[in-house]
Amino acid sequence: MKYEQIPNSLFIKNRKKFMGRMRPKSIAVFNSNDIYPISADSVMPFEQHRDIFYLSGADQEETILVLFPDAMDKKHREILFVRETNDHIAVWEGAKMTKEQATEISGIQTIYWLKEFDKIFFDLMTEADTVYFNTNEHYRQAVETQTREDRFIQKCKQEYPAHQVAKSNPILQEIRGIKEPEELELMQMACNITEKGFRRLLGFVRPGVMEYEVEAELLHEFIRNRSKGFAYPPIIASGNNANVLHYLENNKPCKDGDMLLMDVAAEYANYSSDLTRTIPVNGRFTKRQKEVYNAVLRVKDEATKLLVPGTLWAEYHKECGKLMTSELLGLGLLDKADVQNENQEWPAYKKYFMHGTSHHIGLNTHDYGALKTPMKANMVFTVEPGIYIPAENMGIRLEDDVVIQENGAPFNLMRNIPIEAEEIEELMNA
């Protein structure tokens, strides 16, 4: 891995939190992701399942974590199964984790080779009443591919039909949403790498540059700072491309007089950052561009102040809608009649700001975290309002990542990344 090894104290704490919420005489199983094929002998780069990584730090394929707090044999209360290496694998792929390395990374003392899983799991299931399955229940998920986790669940139900079944996801949603100090440090590292990429761009962007050249500059800076690259597919959208919310082609020229919206950020150690900045291609905002830009910035700043313990996610978004409505009235994009006659299911402001303002971020860009209960300290949210005006060839979005504090305003992990219009202009014309 490119990143520095993470202290296993983080994963020890995470497992303790999870096991403390398990039912008596229950066992939980977590599988690594598959390596996904493209065609012929080509495969996609391996990405570890974030749940097994969160609980073990194991960043290798064909890995299984078993948690059984009530196991009769104490050494079987935490087990990590890893792929056994050999000389052939070492030559062609590089050596896999040894048992000693697996313990060092995870803090788990009992390590077995994967080939031993079925036999040991059968013995453990004779002691267990309930098995926790790790199903994907994220509110945005729309996965059609059968995963390694799916195959395990199917096989387990067939072989152990008398066991009760429970879900790991509600526990993970609760505990993964509140970050440990070590996680916040990793996320700060991802944001710092993102900052380096953005500052590099401010001296690079000019009329005639292609969107994909901007993407290349970012990737260069990210990788040279120990990131695998982008935390999510990068959006490099100039001119009216910025009005396509998930624009991914990144193949158009950046033209004089246009703005460039960049929703791009680095990952570090599997933790995401999530940044959006919008800059003038020629280094100077027009008067109208700056008016709209500053309106978006005001909404972002005011919305950020609302992210405090006790806030409800749904109510927060309603308040953000009120902030945006006020700014759109000031810009002349809405009038009072538009607001008075609006459809409550699709308020007037949605014509120019059609997405949400915030989401959890962490090991996933759209991370786990409770959405129907009050916010808590050490949850990390994006704040990303935007105004999209196709008729004016303009789409502006601004986004930072912030940590909810016990008291006061959130802590901005992107506080050092330029955002004020005047600073952007100064740096682009230095």
Side-chain angles (χ1 to χ4, degrees), residues 43 49 115 137 218 222 225 229 310 352-354 389 399:
V43 296
H49 195 299
K115 64 185 180 183
E137 299 180 27
L218 284 162
F222 291 174
N225 283 283
Y352 299 100
F353 175 41
M354 58 293 296
I389 319 172
E399 176 181 23

Side-chain angles (χ1 to χ4, degrees), residues 59-102:
D59 205 349
Q60 181 175 294
E61 73 280 7
E62 296 185 59
T63 305
I64 302 176
L65 171 67
V66 174
L67 302 177
F68 189 6
D70 295 331
M72 294 179 183
D73 188 337
K74 290 184 178 180
K75 74 177 184 180
H76 284 159
R77 292 176 182 176
E78 297 182 344
I79 309 172
L80 195 65
F81 294 84
V82 298
R83 180 184 181 189
E84 185 174 7
T85 194
N86 57 43
D87 291 342
H88 176 81
I89 291 172
V91 169
W92 286 91
E93 301 179 28
K96 302 300 177 182
M97 280 190 295
T98 64
K99 291 183 177 182
E100 293 74 20
Q101 288 170 330

Side-chain angles (χ1 to χ4, degrees), residues 4-100:
E4 299 279 4
Q5 185 169 319
I6 302 167
N8 63 27
S9 56
L10 171 62
F11 310 116
I12 292 169
K13 281 192 288 186
N14 291 345
R15 289 194 298 276
K16 184 177 180 180
K17 286 187 289 187
F18 186 91
M19 290 191 289
R21 291 163 171 79
M22 292 173 66
R23 298 177 188 173
K25 298 188 71 175
S26 65
I27 189 167
V29 183
F30 301 89
N31 285 272
S32 63
N33 274 335
D34 287 317
I35 296 177
Y36 291 100
I38 298 172
S39 65
D41 64 343
S42 298
V43 296
M44 299 182 72
F46 176 69
E47 283 286 339
Q48 184 57 292
H49 195 299
R50 298 308 193 242
D51 292 333
I52 192 172
F53 183 83
Y54 174 80
L55 294 166
S56 73
D59 205 349
Q60 181 175 294
E61 73 280 7
E62 296 185 59
T63 305
I64 302 176
L65 171 67
V66 174
L67 302 177
F68 189 6
D70 295 331
M72 294 179 183
D73 188 337
K74 290 184 178 180
K75 74 177 184 180
H76 284 159
R77 292 176 182 176
E78 297 182 344
I79 309 172
L80 195 65
F81 294 84
V82 298
R83 180 184 181 189
E84 185 174 7
T85 194
N86 57 43
D87 291 342
H88 176 81
I89 291 172
V91 169
W92 286 91
E93 301 179 28
K96 302 300 177 182
M97 280 190 295
T98 64
K99 291 183 177 182
E100 293 74 20

